Every structure is written in C-alpha cells, then in structure tokens.
Amino acid sequence: MGMKKDANPLGLNGILVVDKPAGFTSFDVVAKLRGMFKTRKIGHGGTLDPMATGVLPVFVGPAVKAVDLAPNQDKAYDAVMRLGVRTDTGDITGAVLETAAVAVAEGDIRAVLPRFLGPQQQLPPLYSAVKVAGQPLYKYARQGQQVQRKPRPVVVHNITLLGPQCENEWCLQVVCGKGTYIRTLLEDIGAAVGAPATLAGLRRTQAGVFGIEQAHSLSEIQAAADEGRLEALLCPVEQLFAALPAVQVEEKALARLQNGAPVYRVAGCLGRCRIRCGVRFIGLGQLDEEGTLKSEKLFLPPAGTREEGDAG
C-alpha cells in the first residue's frame, strides 16, 4: 500500500523474541508485526500451533536471512498431558476420537519416560505442516484423505514429570531437537501407560538461545512501536551464533566478501565461524587450513548499494 515490496523504512535489523498468545498462528503474529515495523521483511523461526504460547523468535530486516542458520535449534516446553482422551489433531482443539477410564499413577508415567529419550523416529501428526507431494498434511486431513506419512528422525534430550495439574492431567517439561511434535510424544507416552492421551496445554520456554525471560507480549511491542522504541526490543543477529568462533577481517576485505570472493591469510579456528570487522558482526563464513575465508551468509547490503539485501 504505497510501500515498496522490500522496503524497511525504519531500518531495523535484529531478532524480536515474542511471547506468542494463545489463539494466534505464528503467521498471525508476523502479520501484526509487519504493520508495527512497517516492513514485509519479517519471518519467524520454529512454528507454534495456535493453542500454544511462549517463545517465538521473529526476524526483522536483513536478519531474516538467519532464520534457518542457527546452530542451536533445541526447544524446551512445558506441556500438559490429558489422559483418557484422544483427538484427531492430537490436542484438545480437535474432535474426540476416543475416551477411556484411566487408572494411571505417577509412578507408571515416570517408569516409561526413559524409553522416549534420545534419537528416535516420530510419525508426524495428521494435522501438521509436514508436506507430502508438496501439500501440508493438514490439508489432506481436512479433506478426509488418507495419506502415507513417513517417520522422521527427532531427538528428545530430557523429559521431566513436574506432577499432576488436576485429575488425569500431568505437567511435563520437555527439551528436544528441531521438528519434534510434543502432541505425538504425549500420545506415545499415553499409549505406553495404556491410556489414550492428548495435549491440553503447551508453552515454549526456550527456542535455541532465546528464553521466555527475553520474550515480549504483543501489547508491549505495540506500546514500543507507538513510542518509537522498537529497536530497543531487538536482539542482535550475532546472538544466534555466539557459540561459533569469531574471526576478524579488515575493512578492505569486506568488499571482497560482499562480492563473493574469498579472503586470504586469515587467522582463526578452522570451520564455520562468525566474521567480524572490529566490533561489527558481518556474517558467517568457513575458514580452511590455508587461512582462506569464504562467506556463507552476510548480513550486510551488497557492495556498492545502500539498500538492504533481499531477504532470501
């Protein structure tokens, strides 16, 4: 609407940690933020279901190029498992497929949790965004179509049973790798104790390096937008890559890197690294044993332009 497709008039660049409210899709959040930040250059990392709340990292401006590059993509959740009910979606928003009387004690649940730790194959839920033949599974499910789902490798690092919430509802804390479906995990835990199960509540408390203590509500973000202080809410892109070693380059090397050319005789740790020029974070690169540095992804405008690079 009078705004250039890739315009970023506020010139903002960074990561906003949003505390997603229940009832919003991750895209709903992005749509609201595009209005507040006056740019379409916004993307999110790690989709949350509408019923879920908590940490949703949102990438603004040139930072959108970092969405899939973070080395640490582990997640932590507080989840509520309701025993005695199974639904078509795997959570309480779905249609009930089965109910059953439950006689499960805390010790029964604790006894089965260790078998769900470590690398494993998980069958994605029917109502999920996993694509088969180019179409997300939830579209097939809504049309009542049966489709072959393939198990996917996931990893669960830790499951802690926090205790009962109310009758037949149990709170669990789960730390897992990217792509793990908590709905499916809880259904599988229920099956292991001999009861149908569904997800009754979900809050993400950690997404990679970002924790719930850094998250801002939509009302806080709106207030910051109204007061012209959105920049203060943004985390630097470099925070995503804090675990990688840093290498320093001189100012004259930047043009070479921006034009896709390598830089020679660079000192530093071999392999993937953060590229810095003085105190500025430039991007990611690979350093080989001969001291040759090649850029992987830069968070600067292309050489010779003043415009931000496209959000590829």
Side-chain angles (χ1 to χ4, degrees):
M1 327 298 141
M3 184 172 70
K4 265 198 326 182
K5 179 174 173 249
D6 289 325
N8 182 11
L10 301 181
L12 297 177
N13 175 33
I15 300 163
L16 178 68
V17 186
V18 179
D19 186 348
K20 188 188 87 63
F24 279 67
T25 67
S26 299
F27 184 78
D28 289 339
V29 171
V30 167
K32 279 191 83 70
L33 294 177
R34 281 176 172 168
M36 295 184 206
F37 281 82
K38 299 180 169 54
T39 179
R40 294 191 58 77
K41 281 190 171 183
I42 292 184
H44 65 81
T47 302
L48 278 175
D49 289 338
M51 73 169 286
T53 66
V55 176
L56 181 70
V58 174
F59 297 71
V60 180
V64 294
K65 294 185 279 190
V67 168
D68 295 316
L69 296 174
N72 173 8
Q73 300 203 11
D74 287 348
K75 312 284 197 308
Y77 297 91
D78 290 342
V80 178
M81 175 175 68
R82 181 177 296 174
L83 296 178
V85 181
R86 184 171 66 86
T87 71
D88 59 351
T89 60
D91 61 38
I92 54 168
T93 68
V96 174
L97 300 177
E98 177 187 0
T99 59
V102 175
V104 175
E106 185 167 334
D108 300 328
I109 300 172
R110 290 193 189 280
V112 303
L113 293 184
R115 71 177 76 166
F116 295 99
L117 298 179
Q120 54 205 273
Q121 296 289 316
Q122 188 184 66
L123 196 65
L126 276 172
Y127 283 87
S128 67
V130 174
K131 289 188 176 177
V132 172
Q135 183 161 273
L137 282 170
Y138 67 79
K139 289 200 172 175
Y140 293 108
R142 285 173 184 164
Q143 293 158 9
Q145 292 179 257
Q146 293 296 319
V147 65
Q148 192 70 37
R149 290 173 288 160
K150 289 183 181 171
R152 305 193 313 163
V154 299
V155 61
V156 177
H157 302 299
N158 192 43
I159 310 175
T160 305
L161 181 61
L162 300 178
Q165 170 138 312
C166 56
E167 188 181 6
N168 294 333
E169 284 196 0
W170 299 86
C171 297
L172 298 101
Q173 207 167 57
V174 180
V175 182
C176 57
K178 180 182 181 183
T180 306
Y181 280 95
I182 305 299
R183 289 178 279 157
T184 300
L185 177 65
L186 298 192
E187 286 182 325
D188 292 345
I189 291 171
V193 296
T198 197
L199 176 69
L202 188 67
R203 182 160 179 76
R204 185 154 69 195
T205 57
Q206 192 82 25
V209 298
F210 301 113
I212 195 68
E213 68 285 347
Q214 295 167 275
H216 303 279
S217 69
L218 288 178
S219 58
E220 287 173 336
I221 300 163
Q222 182 65 66
D226 294 342
E227 295 160 19
R229 52 180 179 85
L230 283 171
E231 189 167 12
L233 305 187
L234 296 179
C235 300
V237 181
E238 188 174 13
Q239 191 176 329
L240 271 183
F241 309 108
L244 295 176
V247 301
Q248 282 283 346
V249 298
E250 295 180 10
E251 199 74 41
K252 63 185 179 187
L254 290 188
R256 288 186 60 81
L257 291 170
Q258 286 176 282
N259 287 313
V263 177
Y264 304 103
R265 295 186 292 282
V266 177
C269 296
L270 304 186
R272 199 180 192 206
C273 57
R274 284 178 287 142
I275 306 172
R276 306 193 94 226
C277 181
V279 297
R280 282 194 300 157
F281 171 62
I282 305 304
L284 302 178
Q286 291 280 346
L287 185 64
D288 69 20
E289 60 280 353
E290 294 170 357
T292 301
L293 176 67
K294 294 180 179 174
S295 65
E296 175 189 335
K297 183 72 81 171
L298 301 182
F299 297 93
L300 290 174
T305 74
R306 297 179 58 199
E307 189 65 32
E308 300 285 4
D310 277 354

